[in-house]
């Protein structure tokens, strides 16, 4: 059975200690999803008509509740998805900030007044919530992603059905309990499960926001199109960092090492290709050195940078990609093997000398593995960076403003960064990719309102 199939029970295991069962709960059947949608539909009129100020207060109260429960959520995140504790702390803090940000956005103007055909006519736009928002989320940001979707959905008056990834079931259920105290009953319902529950959610809701892998995102989007409902899908990446000869070698190596290997490379924005222009020797040595300095191990420890990957399959994907690289004549600069300890640990892996057809250069592995590629010029580097089906984020490291400006115009990703890691997201800025990485409108920041509301144009003329 593939991991996308589903049984009657959802189980999540701690990746550092797979004998630790973190959640074991019934999966939401199609009927259970339909029932939850029917109840959410009853909750919608009241929440959608609740004054914006009150909705804002509810989100503020939810933010306070998450703050009070931070320690518990951080522990659960470390235990259930193996995220190193410092990153878990940062993510919970970000979740609180997201709730407060959208509490404020609930009070923003909800339309414009436009010049009308005559002075006796009022022409304006007004936004309204769309109904039940179905949110389908991955396991790697188990607090931030559900919140960056649920907070705007709720702020603008929608009700929510959240289908979290099976691997992050416990944290989703606990998060919903914590923020649910500030909301009317059934404004937010979590439906644990896998593909069956996910499909049933898409069948039952009025709009769908998905984050996860490309194949699943495409299936979800196709179903949404079939139903004629608005959708957005944020999916995978194969992100490049380009290093120009004028870049500070040690500094760029440290930043790229952390973008490639932090949280064991399990971020959609992780660097998985480093393209070095000119002689790559010094930079490659510095990158290997920076990765070697990273502490690998128990994600509960403060100094851990690289914890486990999420499952045994994920670990095998990384070691499989390293073996394939070796068999194609690539050089394993470091890593390439699973660690000899319990839990799904794999050594951070750097590879160079790959032929252009190697899968590592074209497909997302989603683990701590990064290819180093040589290029002769910035033009060639940009061509290589752009030459993949994905288009989420690209970075360049240079002190030359002309190169930075040209790069920003020529690279075909949704996010473009100069002297900054590919990883890292500002929740108040629009977020999304190009090509296979993204479908539908951007999320986060002010862009969220467009997706979670529909716009009405009203013309009121004076009577004769
Ligand atoms: P996934 O695609 O396997 O699962 C995502 C969600 O979809 C889960 O909740 C899963 O249960 C559900 N699902 C699976 N099959 C379904 C179906 N047929 N219909 C409806 N729902 C279904 O992804 P994952 O392993 O949880 O997460 C890792 C992936 O997410 C990586 O590809 C990563 O790049 C991507 N990701 C992207 C972003 C972004 O914002 N671009 C952020 C984080 C992760």
């Amino acid at each position: 059975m593939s991991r996308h199939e589903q049984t009657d029970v959802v189980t999540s295991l701690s990746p550092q200690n797979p004998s630790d069962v973190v959640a074991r709960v019934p999966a939401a059947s199609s009927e259970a999803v339909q029932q939850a949608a029917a109840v959410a539909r009853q909750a919608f009129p009241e929440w959608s008509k609740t004054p914006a100020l009150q909705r804002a207060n509810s989100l503020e109260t939810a933010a306070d509740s998450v703050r009070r429960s931070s320690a518990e959520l951080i522990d659960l995140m470390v235990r259930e998805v193996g995220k190193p504790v410092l990153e878990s702390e940062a993510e919970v803090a970000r979740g609180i900030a997201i709730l407060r940000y959208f509490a404020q956005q609930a009070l923003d103007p909800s339309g414009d007044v436009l010049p009308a055909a005559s002075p006796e006519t009022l022409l304006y736009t007004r936004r309204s919530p769309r109904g039940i928002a179905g949110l389908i989320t991955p396991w790697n940001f188990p607090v931030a992603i559900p919140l960056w979707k649920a907070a705007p959905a709720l702020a603008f008056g929608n009700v929510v059905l959240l289908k979290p990834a099976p691997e992050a079931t416990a944290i989703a259920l606990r998060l919903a309990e914590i923020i649910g105290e500030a909301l009317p009953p059934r404004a937010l319902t979590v439906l644990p499960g896998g593909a069956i529950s996910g499909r049933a959610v898409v069948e039952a809701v009025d709009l769908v926001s998905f984050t996860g892998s490309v194949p699943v995102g495409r299936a979800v989007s196709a179903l949404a199109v079939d139903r004629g409902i608005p959708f957005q899908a944020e999916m995978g990446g194969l992100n490049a960092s380009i290093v120009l000869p004028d870049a500070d070698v040690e500094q760029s190596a440290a930043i790229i090492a952390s973008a490639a290997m932090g949280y064991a490379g399990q971020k959609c924005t992780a660097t998985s290709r480093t393209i070095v222009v000119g002689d790559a020797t010094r930079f490659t040595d510095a990158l290997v050195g920076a990765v070697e300095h990273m502490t690998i191990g128990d994600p509960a420890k403060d100094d851990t940078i690289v914890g486990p990957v999420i499952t045994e399959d994920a670990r095998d994907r990384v070691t499989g990609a390293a073996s394939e690289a070796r068999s194609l004549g690539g050089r394993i600069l470091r890593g390439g093997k699973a660690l000899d300890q319990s839990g799904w640990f794999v050594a951070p892996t750097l590879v160079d000398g790959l032929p252009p057809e190697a899968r590592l250069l074209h497909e997302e592995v989603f683990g701590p593995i990064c290819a180093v590629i040589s290029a002769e010029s910035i033009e060639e580097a940009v061509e290589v960076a752009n030459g993949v089906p994905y288009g989420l984020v690209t970075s360049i490291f240079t002190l030359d403003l002309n190169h930075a400006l040209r790069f920003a115009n020529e690279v075909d990703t949704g996010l473009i960064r100069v002297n900054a890691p590919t990883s890292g997201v500002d929740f108040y800025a629009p977020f999304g990719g190009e090509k296979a990485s993204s479908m539908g409108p951007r999320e986060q920041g002010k862009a969220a309102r467009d997706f979670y509301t529909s716009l009405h144009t009203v013309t009121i003329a004076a009577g004769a």
Side-chain angles (χ1 to χ4, degrees), residues 55-68 70 92-108 147-148 151-152 155 179 427-428:
R55 290 202 304 264
N57 288 341
S58 295
L59 288 189
E60 281 288 351
T61 308
D64 292 339
S65 306
V66 174
R67 187 175 46 74
R68 277 195 302 277
S70 286
V92 172
R94 171 141 62 117
I96 297 165
I98 289 168
L99 284 162
R100 296 206 197 289
Y101 173 76
F102 284 108
Q104 287 307 301
Q105 268 210 35
L107 304 177
D108 277 357
L147 286 181
W148 83 46
I179 64 175
F427 62 83
Y428 41 83

Side-chain angles (χ1 to χ4, degrees), residues 3-4 136-141 145 148 163-167 193-200 202 210-217 219-220 223 234-237 266-269 364 366 392 431 433 437 443-444:
R3 62 180 280 272
H4 289 318
I136 300 181
T137 53
W139 47 267
N140 65 333
F141 285 90
I145 294 181
W148 83 46
K163 210 300 287 166
E167 297 87 343
I196 292 173
S197 319
R199 272 195 297 268
V202 185
F210 169 88
T211 299
S213 62
V214 171
V216 178
V220 164
L223 191 51
E234 284 306 329
M235 299 167 279
Q266 302 171 113
K267 299 177 186 174
C268 56
T269 52
E364 184 187 47
F366 215 57
L392 192 53
F431 176 83
S437 294
E443 57 182 343
Q444 304 196 62

Side-chain angles (χ1 to χ4, degrees), residues 165-291:
E167 297 87 343
T169 298
I171 194 154
L173 288 167
R174 188 65 192 116
L175 180 66
E177 268 171 18
I178 293 166
I179 64 175
E181 289 163 15
L183 300 168
R186 298 300 175 184
L188 168 66
T189 304
V190 176
L191 296 160
I196 292 173
S197 319
R199 272 195 297 268
V201 166
V202 185
E203 293 280 7
V205 296
D206 302 313
L207 71 163
V208 62
S209 179
F210 169 88
T211 299
S213 62
V214 171
V216 178
R218 287 191 173 165
V220 164
S221 303
L223 191 51
V225 168
D226 211 38
R227 292 200 53 234
I229 59 169
F231 71 94
Q232 60 184 185
E234 284 306 329
M235 299 167 279
L238 197 70
N239 312 301
S241 289
I242 298 175
V243 184
L244 296 193
D246 70 324
D248 181 312
V249 167
E250 297 299 326
Q251 199 181 33
S252 50
I255 293 173
I256 293 170
S258 127
M261 307 300 175
Y263 188 30
Q266 302 171 113
K267 299 177 186 174
C268 56
T269 52
T271 292
S272 43
R273 299 175 298 146
T274 300
I275 306 167
V276 188
V277 175
D279 181 2
T281 318
R282 258 189 76 215
F283 175 82
T284 306
D285 289 349
L287 185 64
V288 171
V291 171

